[in-house]
Amino acid sequence: MTESSQIPQSTRSEPIFGRLLTAMVTPFAANGEVDEQKTAALAEELADRGHDGLIVCGTTGEYSTMTDDENERVFRIVKEAVGERVKIVAGVGSNDTAHTLDLAARAESVGVDGLLVVTPYYNKPTQAGVQAHFTTVADAVKTPVMLYDIPGRAGIPISVDTYRALAEHENIVAVKDAKADFASASAVMAATDLQYYSGDDGLTLPWMALGAVGLVGVTTHVAPEKFRELIDAVVAEDLATAQRVHQELIPVIAATMTRVPGCVAAKQILSWQGRLDSAFVRLPHVAPTAEEEKLIRADLKNSVVADTLIR
């Protein structure tokens, strides 16, 4: 059996943003302001614990409830803290193309390595509008762009034909897929050089089996070493290890992704782990209820790596 028949080319190729990325929470102090010291410290810790890159001010980073100045400041804090060690991808998406262009320019001035641009949400444009939005942003910058396909939030998917057209743009290089349409994604991967990242923590193994290069995760805050082990096992073609770690992570993923929104759960667990001073989230997010906290703790205790997760 030849090497090319063993594992998809996109998985074997060295990905532009690395393989293990976290969509990083933005630490807030108890008064709701950005905690700049904790932001830098969390970025440093994630870099220390096996990350290749960080998504800064994405959905989990609560960018939509932050001012543009706050977003730019967080881009800069994280870039200065770990930009020499890991790739920094700035979330600059909006449903307003002009606003996205402004955020992209701010991020590019900081010197980030990539721009995460989500499908325009709420407006529900046609596919021609989606293509025009992404192309306009990519035309305006020199920084590589990662498309973010999440119809559950945006209301619309990116179609296969739109992907094929966008892949022709030299600045559009990657996709964070939270759609889980494996057939469509396979068609795109077969026809283009776009590098796919799983946008669903629990589907990392099947995504990479299809040819995705890695993961942009949230649960990766909580158990980064286990996700590193999973991804490395897939790249090494060690299916048995990858399956074992995938199963070990199921209750951890449930704790982080199914009880309350990801940013809420991740901050709560990080505070239990002693890694954040405050689990504060901005409205309209709220802290978990007592019952939700019990469910999250129960999930974590069901994990075979429970002793490493919370104190």
Side-chain angles (χ1 to χ4, degrees):
M1 183 179 290
T2 66
E3 180 186 13
S4 61
S5 65
Q6 292 173 341
I7 189 166
Q9 178 65 41
S10 57
T11 301
R12 287 187 285 108
S13 303
E14 189 61 32
I16 186 170
F17 300 122
R19 297 190 185 280
L20 175 60
L21 293 85
T22 281
M24 197 178 100
V25 299
T26 302
F28 297 133
N31 64 1
E33 295 182 359
V34 174
D35 187 329
E36 297 189 0
Q37 183 176 358
K38 278 296 181 182
T39 297
L42 179 60
E44 290 169 353
E45 183 193 358
L46 292 172
D48 289 342
R49 295 178 67 178
H51 281 74
D52 302 313
L54 298 172
I55 305 288
V56 184
C57 298
T59 306
T60 306
E62 297 177 78
Y63 82 96
S64 60
T65 55
M66 294 165 60
T67 67
D68 290 352
D69 288 345
E70 286 177 321
N71 278 290
E72 182 180 353
R73 180 62 183 145
V74 173
F75 299 158
R76 194 172 302 279
I77 290 167
V78 176
K79 175 66 178 179
E80 290 175 353
V82 296
E84 298 299 319
R85 301 168 55 197
V86 301
K87 300 292 187 181
I88 309 300
V89 180
V92 299
S94 170
N95 66 328
D96 173 6
T97 305
H99 186 202
T100 303
L101 290 170
D102 181 63
L103 285 171
R106 288 171 178 251
E108 196 163 54
S109 72
V110 171
V112 299
D113 301 288
L115 302 172
L116 179 70
V117 184
V118 71
T119 314
Y121 44 83
Y122 185 73
N123 304 38
K124 299 183 76 172
T126 64
Q127 288 297 305
V130 170
Q131 182 177 334
H133 173 81
F134 287 128
T135 301
T136 298
V137 176
D139 283 345
V141 298
K142 296 180 180 178
T143 305
V145 170
M146 178 188 290
L147 308 177
Y148 185 11
D149 193 355
I150 182 166
R153 290 183 184 273
I156 54 172
I158 305 173
S159 74
V160 172
D161 287 342
T162 301
Y163 272 123
R164 286 175 173 152
L166 292 170
E168 297 297 319
H169 199 294
E170 62 180 1
N171 277 351
I172 297 175
V173 300
V175 178
K176 177 187 176 185
D177 190 295
K179 181 170 61 180
D181 183 341
F182 293 134
S184 294
S186 294
V188 175
M189 284 188 273
T192 76
D193 292 327
L194 291 172
Q195 296 183 345
Y196 265 70
Y197 288 82
S198 171
D200 186 325
D201 299 14
L203 296 180
T204 305
L205 177 55
W207 262 120
M208 293 192 71
L210 288 172
V213 298
L215 165 68
V216 175
V218 178
T219 312
T220 46
H221 286 95
V222 177
E225 291 84 1
K226 297 305 294 184
F227 279 98
R228 180 84 260 176
E229 185 180 3
L230 170 60
I231 289 169
D232 289 349
V234 176
V235 174
E237 302 179 39
D238 183 354
L239 181 60
T241 297
Q243 290 173 330
R244 172 181 57 78
V245 178
H246 167 78
Q247 292 166 2
E248 290 174 351
L249 282 166
I250 290 171
V252 190
I253 293 167
T256 312
M257 302 303 296
T258 68
R259 303 304 185 181
V260 294
C263 67
V264 178
K267 283 187 168 182
Q268 186 62 68
I269 297 168
L270 287 169
S271 69
W272 289 340
Q273 292 177 323
R275 296 163 61 197
L276 284 185
D277 296 334
S278 168
F280 186 94
V281 288
R282 290 183 176 176
L283 288 170
H285 286 310
V286 294
T289 64
E291 182 59 32
E292 288 165 343
E293 284 193 14
K294 288 180 182 178
L295 293 171
I296 294 168
R297 284 187 176 274
D299 289 331
L300 295 175
K301 289 177 181 177
N302 284 334
S303 169
V304 297
V305 290
D307 58 334
T308 69
L309 297 178
I310 56 174
R311 295 177 177 179

